[in-house]
Amino acid sequence: MSLPWSRSLRLRVTPHAAWATLQPGWWGTKALADAVHPANAVSNSRDAMPSSAMAVSIEALAANIEAVLAQIGRSAAIRGARLIVEWSDSMTHFDVVSGDFAGDSDRQLQAVASACATELLGEAAQSHEVRWQLQAGGRHLLIAAIPREQLKLLDEACQRHGLTLVSVQPDFCTQWNRHAKALKRGPAVFTVASEREAVIACVVDGAVATMS
């Protein structure tokens, strides 16, 4: 039997729907419960997809997250579980900046990422959570920015359901961290597609150099 505080709740959030899977604390074991909201999200997702992160309805996001957590909570105990979130790329702003970053501190890299976000988003950058990942070789900095108003919904959901938020990662970052080591040296194209949108990265020697 898996104790509630050893369980992981994987939550995927898109502009129009949310999916959740509750897993026990050990690897490779069948999921304890699954949920999706709205129920027809898979069939109508192509028609409901907004074109940008700014077009996302906070009310719809909150309703979908709450509904899917409540639904899965009726099937199994989720209080105390670890919440791992996969965030839609369509609700994330990406950027890549080139430079000599190998010797920079985390504080310096955060400053670079924040400056790039400001150049990309203008004053709206102040309302975004900005994170970065230094690429192999220290020559490229991958930057992601998500509106704090959206991320706040996850904190509120954790408080209501007694969950511990462990991580929030955009789809692209999740797949990149999972598969980047399999790429050989030289140029390559790495693409993460979902519904009507795709994030395409030009990779050089295992590092994301540019993105579209």
Side-chain angles (χ1 to χ4, degrees):
M1 178 178 179
S2 174
L3 298 175
W5 53 85
S6 69
R7 297 175 178 179
S8 294
L9 182 57
R10 295 189 174 273
L11 175 67
R12 171 169 167 72
V13 181
T14 71
H16 59 272
W19 292 260
T21 300
L22 182 65
Q23 298 176 321
W26 53 86
W27 178 258
T29 307
K30 184 178 179 180
L32 299 173
D34 293 286
V36 59
H37 186 85
N40 61 345
V42 175
S43 62
N44 69 9
S45 59
R46 292 183 179 273
D47 298 326
M49 192 73 173
S51 60
S52 72
M54 302 309 293
V56 176
S57 165
I58 290 297
E59 292 75 14
L61 278 181
N64 289 335
I65 292 172
E66 177 58 27
V68 79
L69 293 181
Q71 181 182 343
I72 206 168
R74 289 192 290 269
S75 301
I78 63 173
R79 185 166 294 275
R82 302 162 66 251
L83 183 63
I84 301 170
V85 181
E86 295 179 11
W87 199 255
S88 173
D89 289 336
S90 64
M91 300 191 295
T92 307
H93 298 279
F94 290 103
D95 196 9
V96 181
V97 59
S98 301
D100 185 7
F101 304 118
D104 288 2
S105 65
D106 288 356
R107 183 175 181 178
Q108 290 172 315
L109 294 175
Q110 183 64 48
V112 171
S114 298
C116 290
T118 299
E119 183 177 351
L120 178 67
L121 302 173
E123 293 184 0
Q126 298 179 11
S127 63
H128 285 64
E129 191 71 25
V130 180
R131 291 292 180 262
W132 52 267
Q133 183 186 69
L134 184 61
Q135 298 296 288
R139 296 291 305 174
H140 298 93
L141 194 67
L142 173 61
I143 302 165
I146 300 175
R148 291 195 184 96
E149 185 180 22
Q150 296 175 9
L151 294 177
K152 184 180 178 181
L153 300 177
L154 298 175
D155 291 329
E156 294 172 347
C158 285
Q159 293 177 15
R160 287 194 301 271
H161 295 276
L163 304 170
T164 299
L165 184 59
V166 176
S167 68
V168 181
Q169 280 205 339
D171 290 339
F172 177 86
C173 297
T174 298
Q175 298 304 323
W176 174 250
N177 292 337
R178 184 176 297 163
H179 300 292
K181 292 182 179 180
L183 297 176
K184 298 180 180 179
R185 292 189 62 82
V189 174
F190 188 88
T191 303
V192 176
S194 177
E195 295 153 336
R196 294 188 300 174
E197 296 200 0
V199 177
I200 304 172
C202 175
V203 180
V204 180
D205 294 334
V208 175
T210 58
M211 296 180 71
S212 174

